[in-house]
Amino acid sequence: MKKWNLIIDVEKCENCNNCFLSTKDEHVGNDFPGYAAPQPLHGHEWIRIERKVRGSGHMVDAAYCVQTCNHCDNAPCVKAGRGAVTKRNDGIVIIDPEKARGRRDIVSSCPYGAIWWNDQLQLPQKWIFDAHLLDAGWKEPRCVQSCPTGVFRSLKISDDEMADIAKREQLEVLRSELGTKPRVYYRNLWRFSKWFIGGSVIGDSPDETRCLEGATVTLRKNGKNIATASTDVYGDFKFDHLDPVPTKYQIKVMHKDYKSLELDAQVESDESCYVGDLRLSM
């Protein structure tokens, strides 16, 4: 049995919102019986983009994570719906626009916040993977077509094939600990979910002060080396993909022309850490 899946590449998203706008264009004012009632013009974000800014000083990056209904295989909304929400054989989850009327409790059943309440129609609503278009012969949802940077890939394949792709491409799902088994997968989710520690190495000598290229920087945790980096032409280094847990790290900087330097880097909050300028003397 082939089922629909969506792959979202966080690294490619530039926050243009074409995916959001194409979904609005498709559903605002349009009724698709059996699939979805019209979406309100304002308030609903069936596809939304979350922003994450990491770092400080001159070492800052931003990532954008597209989030929507995950069409989970173990969907809490299906259980809560008691017949008002169904999962199709192709993996798509549909909230019946007639059976679900008045069922505001379905909104709170989604741990991802992907279901919205239509106050006018008294109806819970969400992104339907453009099932009405796929059933009419379309090859992919509108969000895939409208994205100029190739953030999305939609695949109708077997679960085994999808599992192989997920393993090979190191794909992740949102909040896997919930056990909901999403069918929306992410590449480069670390840009949104992980921390970094970075800094700049400067060499001080009687004749000049300069950015030190080629310095070796070692990151240690609990007395063990966990990563090594080399500074670039601007003297910058960065250790990325760190788990977002308050941790005390040790940093050691070495350069053949300067004295070594060691310091502690305490990461205490939900933020990446830029340690600033690290000055080496001769």
Side-chain angles (χ1 to χ4, degrees):
M1 173 68 68
K2 293 185 176 182
K3 302 176 183 177
W4 284 103
N5 307 269
L6 187 69
I7 299 175
I8 297 174
D9 192 337
V10 175
E11 189 116 274
K12 292 182 178 180
C13 184
E14 297 182 351
N15 197 32
C16 73
N17 275 271
N18 275 17
C19 54
F20 166 79
L21 292 171
S22 65
T23 301
K24 282 285 188 183
D25 180 66
E26 185 65 28
H27 287 279
V28 171
N30 294 323
D31 189 11
F32 301 109
Y35 296 97
Q39 180 187 140
L41 178 60
H42 302 293
H44 282 214
E45 297 180 10
W46 294 4
I47 293 181
R48 67 185 188 277
I49 302 176
E50 300 287 340
R51 185 181 71 168
K52 176 73 172 183
V53 178
R54 307 186 306 164
S56 60
H58 76 265
M59 193 169 287
V60 176
D61 62 36
Y64 302 96
C65 184
V66 182
Q67 298 183 31
T68 184
C69 172
N70 285 281
H71 294 273
C72 306
D73 283 345
N74 187 26
C77 61
V78 173
K79 297 177 183 178
R82 303 190 304 276
V85 186
T86 57
K87 187 169 184 65
R88 306 189 339 170
N89 291 334
D90 62 2
I92 296 176
V93 174
I94 297 291
I95 299 176
D96 190 290
E98 293 301 327
K99 295 180 180 179
R101 289 191 186 275
R103 295 289 308 278
R104 191 160 193 160
D105 59 298
I106 294 175
V107 175
S108 59
S109 71
C110 178
Y112 301 98
I115 301 177
W116 302 78
W117 180 249
N118 186 325
D119 196 56
Q120 181 180 0
L121 299 179
Q122 292 291 291
L123 185 66
Q125 295 181 290
K126 67 173 192 65
W127 182 61
I128 62 170
F129 215 105
D130 288 350
H132 62 302
L133 298 178
L134 299 176
D135 289 350
W138 285 47
K139 302 302 181 184
E140 55 193 11
R142 284 195 62 179
C143 62
V144 180
Q145 292 186 337
S146 65
C147 179
T149 57
V151 170
F152 304 96
R153 285 164 57 199
S154 57
L155 301 170
K156 190 178 185 183
I157 55 180
S158 70
D159 286 345
D160 287 343
E161 289 175 299
M162 190 63 228
D164 288 341
I165 292 174
K167 182 178 181 180
R168 184 171 64 252
E169 299 185 13
Q170 298 181 320
L171 304 180
E172 301 176 71
V173 297
L174 293 179
R175 301 185 65 186
S176 60
E177 73 278 3
L178 295 174
T180 56
K181 299 181 180 179
R183 304 199 72 84
V184 175
Y185 296 81
Y186 289 85
R187 293 189 68 193
N188 298 306
L189 189 59
W190 59 270
R191 288 286 311 277
F192 202 79
S193 62
K194 298 292 185 179
W195 292 353
F196 73 75
I197 291 179
S200 304
V201 179
I202 295 174
D204 283 328
S205 71
D207 300 323
E208 63 176 354
T209 297
R210 64 189 180 95
C211 299
L212 279 185
E213 181 181 7
T216 300
V217 186
T218 303
L219 186 68
R220 295 171 60 83
K221 178 182 175 182
N222 298 327
K224 295 182 179 180
N225 294 352
I226 60 173
T228 301
S230 183
T231 55
D232 62 18
V233 67
Y234 302 105
D236 291 341
F237 67 89
K238 179 189 282 188
F239 298 103
D240 216 325
H241 297 73
L242 301 176
D243 290 331
V245 178
T247 305
K248 184 177 181 179
Y249 295 97
Q250 298 80 46
I251 297 175
K252 184 175 182 179
V253 186
M254 296 182 294
H255 190 280
K256 62 184 180 62
D257 298 326
Y258 294 83
K259 295 178 182 178
S260 298
L261 174 67
E262 295 188 43
L263 72 152
D264 292 332
Q266 181 70 43
V267 182
E268 297 178 343
S269 61
D270 187 14
E271 293 288 343
S272 292
C273 178
Y274 175 62
V275 298
D277 295 339
L278 305 182
R279 294 182 174 270
L280 303 188
S281 59
M282 299 193 76

